[in-house]
């Protein structure tokens, strides 16, 4: 199924809710931040299909820390945390404001951990490459919540529940990573589309569990088989999904879009809860 058809099905089934939808975005290559392609177009269209958020809280694969931190500066810098790409990508600035009040509120909501208010990070490419297509005016405050690398998937899933009330306040919580993400096995021959058999098998397992709301299986992903262990050789790109699933309540629907494999060993599959 092409990504445009997926998006149209997603918008047609989007329910009305008091909660702001929660999103997991497969962000893929940093080049998606400056390219107008099927993925970035869907990101822009998603933004048009949901209420305008008051603030955005991003859980990015690229802020992996000991302990939990949240950006609390007034103007988070744009971080170019990659190498080997065209200068045009390094030239991008996304000058969205921060929201120190929301940073303090979020830190207070989280009881399972001490949350450090951070003034040194900013917006990494897991955040700005996606959000600049969604909200190009950069006029909505953006914060990042780090992923504590000392904790497992269940911890992050449960932590998300502690901040669920932010959705009622108009905060868009966005996880940014990739469900299947094994760059060591990347195939340039399939860079524009296609996946190894193991990657497609892992993707189908993930999607079936998501659509069936079988969160425990996804939390215990290491037990889902050899293909899943190939798909998730390290957890940082997978764990943002735990936050979005942790935010889903019993009555909320879940939909997929941008469901495509690229480079053999990476999927762009994205999830909306709400």
């Amino acid at each position: 199924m092409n990504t445009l058809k997926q998006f149209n099905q997603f918008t047609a089934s989007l329910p009305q809710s008091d909660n702001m939808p929660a999103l997991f975005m497969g962000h893929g290559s940093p080049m998606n931040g400056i390219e107008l392609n099927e993925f970035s177009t869907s990101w822009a269209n998603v933004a048009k299909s949901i209420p305008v958020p008051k603030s955005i809280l991003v859980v990015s694969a690229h802020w992996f820390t000991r302990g939990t931190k949240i950006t609390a500066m007034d103007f988070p810098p744009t971080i170019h945390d990659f190498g080997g790409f065209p200068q045009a990508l390094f030239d991008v600035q996304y000058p969205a404001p921060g929201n120190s009040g929301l940073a303090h509120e979020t830190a207070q909501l989280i009881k399972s951990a001490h949350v450090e208010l951070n003034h040194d990070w900013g917006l990494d490419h897991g955040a700005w490459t996606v959000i600049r297509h969604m909200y190009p005016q950069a006029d909505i405050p953006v914060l990042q919540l780090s992923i504590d690398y000392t904790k497992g998937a269940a911890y992050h899933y449960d932590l998300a529940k502690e901040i669920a009330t932010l959705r009622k306040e108009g905060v868009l919580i966005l996880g940014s990573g990739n469900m299947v993400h094994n760059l060591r096995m990347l195939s340039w021959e399939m860079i524009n589309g296609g996946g190894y058999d193991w990657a497609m098998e892992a993707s189908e397992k993930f999607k079936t569990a998501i659509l069936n709301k079988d969160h425990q299986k996804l939390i215990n992903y290491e037990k889902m088989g050899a293909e899943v262990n190939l798909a998730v050789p390290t957890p940082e790109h997978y764990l943002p999904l735990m936050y979005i699933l942790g935010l889903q309540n019993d009555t909320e629907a879940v939909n997929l879009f941008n469901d495509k494999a690229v480079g053999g060993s990476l999927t762009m599959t994205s999830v909306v809860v709400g």
Side-chain angles (χ1 to χ4, degrees):
M1 184 185 296
N2 64 50
T3 54
L4 179 59
K5 187 175 181 180
Q6 292 166 12
F7 173 76
N8 289 337
Q9 290 183 352
F10 149 61
T11 54
S13 62
L14 191 66
Q16 298 297 314
S17 171
D18 292 335
N19 284 336
M20 176 67 67
L23 302 172
F24 172 80
M25 298 295 210
H27 66 245
S29 168
M31 288 300 293
N32 291 322
I34 59 174
E35 292 178 348
L36 293 178
N37 56 35
E38 57 191 307
F39 308 122
S40 61
T41 298
S42 287
W43 298 338
N45 287 336
V46 165
K48 297 173 184 175
S49 303
I50 64 176
V52 177
K54 295 179 180 178
S55 292
I56 304 169
L57 179 62
V58 180
V59 180
S60 166
H62 297 282
W63 199 19
F64 215 42
T65 62
R66 177 178 289 276
T68 302
K69 304 181 181 184
I70 191 167
T71 55
M73 68 284 287
D74 292 331
F75 293 97
T78 304
I79 301 173
H80 301 89
D81 51 331
F82 42 71
F85 289 94
Q87 185 60 42
L89 192 60
F90 291 91
D91 290 341
V92 172
Q93 295 293 316
Y94 189 73
N99 185 335
S100 60
L102 180 59
H104 282 82
E105 179 184 355
T106 304
Q108 291 172 357
L109 285 172
I110 296 173
K111 307 300 184 184
S112 60
H114 169 72
V115 180
E116 176 187 325
L117 299 178
N118 178 274
H119 295 83
D120 299 320
W121 190 243
L123 305 181
D124 60 50
H125 81 268
W128 65 260
T129 60
V130 175
I131 296 174
R132 74 183 300 261
H133 289 289
M134 299 178 70
Y135 305 104
Q137 299 303 313
D139 55 354
I140 297 173
V142 182
L143 299 80
Q144 284 198 217
L145 182 69
S146 76
I147 300 172
D148 184 347
Y149 63 72
T150 71
K151 306 296 185 181
Y155 172 86
H156 296 289
Y157 179 87
D158 291 338
L159 189 150
K161 297 183 179 301
E162 298 182 70
I163 61 173
T165 57
L166 296 177
R167 296 176 63 199
K168 294 187 180 297
E169 300 175 19
V171 177
L172 174 61
I173 301 176
L174 189 155
S176 180
N178 294 97
M179 291 186 212
V180 176
H181 187 270
N182 189 331
L183 294 186
R184 289 189 176 185
M185 299 186 73
L186 186 73
S187 167
W188 289 103
E189 294 180 356
M190 290 189 277
I191 199 64
N192 292 318
Y196 295 115
D197 288 345
W198 59 262
M200 304 309 293
E201 291 171 12
S203 179
E204 288 303 317
K205 286 188 174 185
F206 290 147
K207 291 185 292 183
T208 298
I210 290 168
L211 294 174
N212 289 338
K213 300 183 182 179
D214 191 350
H215 294 179
Q216 282 303 312
K217 180 175 286 187
L218 292 158
I219 289 169
N220 297 309
Y221 67 92
E222 300 100 328
K223 300 178 181 178
M224 291 178 70
E227 60 274 7
V228 167
N229 288 317
L230 276 174
V232 189
T234 56
E236 72 282 350
H237 278 76
Y238 182 81
L239 290 176
L241 174 65
M242 294 296 98
Y243 283 80
I244 303 313
L245 297 181
L247 292 167
Q248 183 180 13
N249 65 42
D250 292 339
T251 63
E252 288 183 310
V254 61
N255 291 279
L256 307 177
F257 65 101
N258 276 355
D259 185 19
K260 183 176 180 178
V262 296
S265 60
L266 185 149
T267 58
M268 297 295 292
T269 309
S270 300
V271 180
V272 58
V273 166

